[in-house]
Amino acid sequence: MVVASALLAGCSGGGNEVTIDIRRPDAAGSTTPGATPSTPAPSSGAAAPSASVPFTADGEPNAIGTVATGLTSPWGIAFLPDGRALVTERDTARVLLLSPRDGGYVRSGASGRTQAVKARVSEVGQLRIARPRGEGGLLGVAVSPTYEQDRLVYFYVSTERDNRVVRARLSGGRLSPTTPVLTGIPVNSTHNGGRLLFGPGGYLFVSTGDAQRREEAQQRDSLAGKILRITPDGAPAPGNPFGSPVWSLGHRNVQGLALDADDSLWASEFGDQTSDELNRILPGNDYGWPRAEGREGSTDPSLTAPQLTWPTEDASPSGLAATDGYLWMAALRGERLWRIPTRSGQVEQPTAHLTGRYGRLRSVVRAPDGRLWLATSNTDGRGEPRRGDDRIVVLEP
């Protein structure tokens, strides 16, 4: 159960200004207004929950500290029910466990300003089936919605022969050997997709890329260039539009998935020569690739046009997260964090934040306390590493 309070304080910057006071994280990282505070027993190996640290979510991302440095191409971030985080490294295939110290935050005396403190970082396993090359390797990670009962963690991995979804049990601070959940997703050195997200009903969304097989993005019997929706055991989820794992098609390379407060599914997608995209994903819809890029060609009534587009030099989007009234999109080549107001399944004018401050940005995830964790990607072979890179920064949105 989530234990939190959210008090409406006013309006600013096109979205609600909300004071969030989290006393216990939940597996999904959401918050429930008006819940009754309690202090549950911590999960095995975790510190007891710390005192609440409220903050005002006003739509302005303020960096309050760095929780980890010295990482190698971090790609996915997922939170356990006790507030610890799992982080995947694409090129080493390591899975890291980040355990916040002292609840993760300290208060400065005079100003009362909250600051994030570094977490303890330990390796819990290495997925030796991964064959990192180019954009492939150990990519997305998702924690089972029933983790407290089954201890399962899901990974998206590029192997020698395919991209696949696998799972492992995390127990005693170590991952068990992996077992396959879904195999046969086309693999290449580029365009592998890789994001995982559990959605309503406990079904798993999986984003894939076209793996340089452009025409397969339009083929319903191929897993390339798709967003998939499967059961935790890898079967097509009930209600899928084609009776297969395919949820939507016509994608070039989706690396960001997020569900907003209305359970609308959003995806960030790499363009080719002209336009990166943000799409609202509806079951069975065709998002155009390679017949269309951005809005060019999307006037065909059989295709779904993107809600927003960007020049590729301003975005190259990867991670995507949702908070109260906003989507947050991490940009690699664009080296900025895009804030996108949302309302009733529609988007408003985006604004750029942190431009150039941290370099290439791979992932942005909403933490259980309502803050954002932002991972850089300057050691991925395409960036310019800075001292301490790669890192994970905490923002108050």
Side-chain angles (χ1 to χ4, degrees):
M1 182 179 68
V2 182
V3 180
S5 65
L7 305 176
L8 184 63
C11 294
S12 173
N16 289 334
E17 185 172 295
V18 179
T19 298
I20 301 177
D21 183 2
I22 302 295
R23 288 178 171 80
R24 179 183 182 253
D26 76 340
S30 60
T31 58
T32 302
T36 304
S38 65
T39 305
S43 300
S44 175
S50 62
S52 60
V53 183
F55 73 97
T56 298
D58 58 4
E60 295 296 324
N62 301 307
I64 63 169
T66 299
V67 295
T69 57
L71 307 180
T72 303
S73 301
W75 210 97
I77 305 172
F79 289 91
L80 299 174
D82 57 33
R84 296 178 296 167
L86 292 170
V87 175
T88 59
E89 290 187 330
R90 186 191 72 185
D91 298 336
T92 67
R94 296 193 307 163
V95 181
L96 307 177
L97 180 65
L98 274 58
S99 303
R101 300 174 186 268
D102 302 321
Y105 306 101
V106 295
R107 293 273 198 177
S108 58
S111 65
R113 180 172 177 261
T114 302
Q115 293 178 288
V117 297
K118 282 191 176 181
R120 293 184 296 272
V121 180
S122 58
E123 180 181 324
V124 296
Q126 185 178 28
L127 273 62
R128 300 189 183 279
I129 62 171
R131 294 295 181 268
R133 59 184 178 118
E135 296 173 3
L138 177 54
L139 304 179
V141 57
V143 173
S144 167
T146 53
Y147 175 83
E148 290 179 315
Q149 288 75 50
D150 56 37
R151 315 292 290 185
L152 290 175
V153 182
Y154 291 71
F155 302 95
Y156 188 102
V157 189
S158 306
T159 73
E160 192 70 40
R161 295 181 298 176
D162 63 0
N163 284 304
R164 58 178 58 189
V165 179
V166 301
R167 67 185 180 192
R169 184 167 283 105
L170 179 60
S171 181
R174 298 296 299 174
L175 284 173
S176 69
T178 62
T179 57
V181 173
L182 180 67
T183 62
I185 302 169
V187 67
N188 203 305
S189 60
T190 58
H191 303 186
N192 291 294
R195 202 63 67 175
L196 302 179
L197 175 68
F198 275 102
Y203 302 121
L204 181 64
F205 290 108
V206 181
S207 77
T208 77
D210 70 6
Q212 299 289 3
R213 305 181 188 183
R214 297 160 57 103
E215 298 305 322
E216 290 193 25
Q218 289 290 318
Q219 298 170 8
R220 293 182 184 177
D221 60 352
S222 171
L223 300 181
K226 307 295 191 297
I227 292 174
L228 313 176
R229 178 173 171 264
I230 59 175
T231 70
D233 294 325
N240 281 7
F242 309 119
S244 72
V246 174
W247 187 247
S248 63
L249 67 154
H251 299 289
R252 182 172 182 266
N253 191 19
V254 173
Q255 287 192 4
L257 294 174
L259 286 161
D260 65 18
D262 299 324
D263 280 338
S264 292
L265 179 64
W266 298 88
S268 56
E269 181 167 346
F270 287 86
D272 185 17
Q273 300 297 319
T274 59
S275 299
D276 295 323
E277 300 178 3
L278 175 73
N279 288 295
R280 184 186 178 204
I281 304 301
L282 298 174
N285 282 25
D286 183 344
Y287 290 84
W289 179 255
R291 296 165 58 194
E293 179 183 357
R295 298 191 181 278
E296 183 179 349
S298 62
T299 54
D300 183 329
S302 68
L303 306 181
T304 302
Q307 291 245 345
L308 286 174
T309 64
W310 291 261
T312 54
E313 63 268 20
D314 292 342
S316 295
S318 186
L320 192 66
T323 62
D324 301 287
Y326 296 103
L327 293 171
W328 302 88
M329 191 178 79
L332 290 162
R333 184 179 174 190
E335 297 190 353
R336 65 200 73 182
L337 180 67
W338 286 100
R339 185 195 71 181
I340 307 157
T342 60
R343 184 179 300 177
S344 301
Q346 300 297 312
V347 296
E348 299 175 8
Q349 184 68 29
T351 56
H353 297 267
L354 308 176
T355 302
R357 181 169 176 181
Y358 297 108
R360 292 164 59 83
L361 304 179
R362 172 69 66 183
S363 291
V364 57
V365 181
R366 179 174 175 163
D369 62 9
R371 295 175 170 92
L372 296 174
W373 282 30
L374 182 67
T376 68
S377 191
N378 295 318
T379 63
D380 65 356
R382 297 183 179 179
E384 297 180 2
R386 311 172 187 197
R387 183 177 181 182
D389 278 343
D390 274 313
R391 67 188 68 235
I392 295 176
V393 179
V394 179
L395 309 175
E396 291 185 342

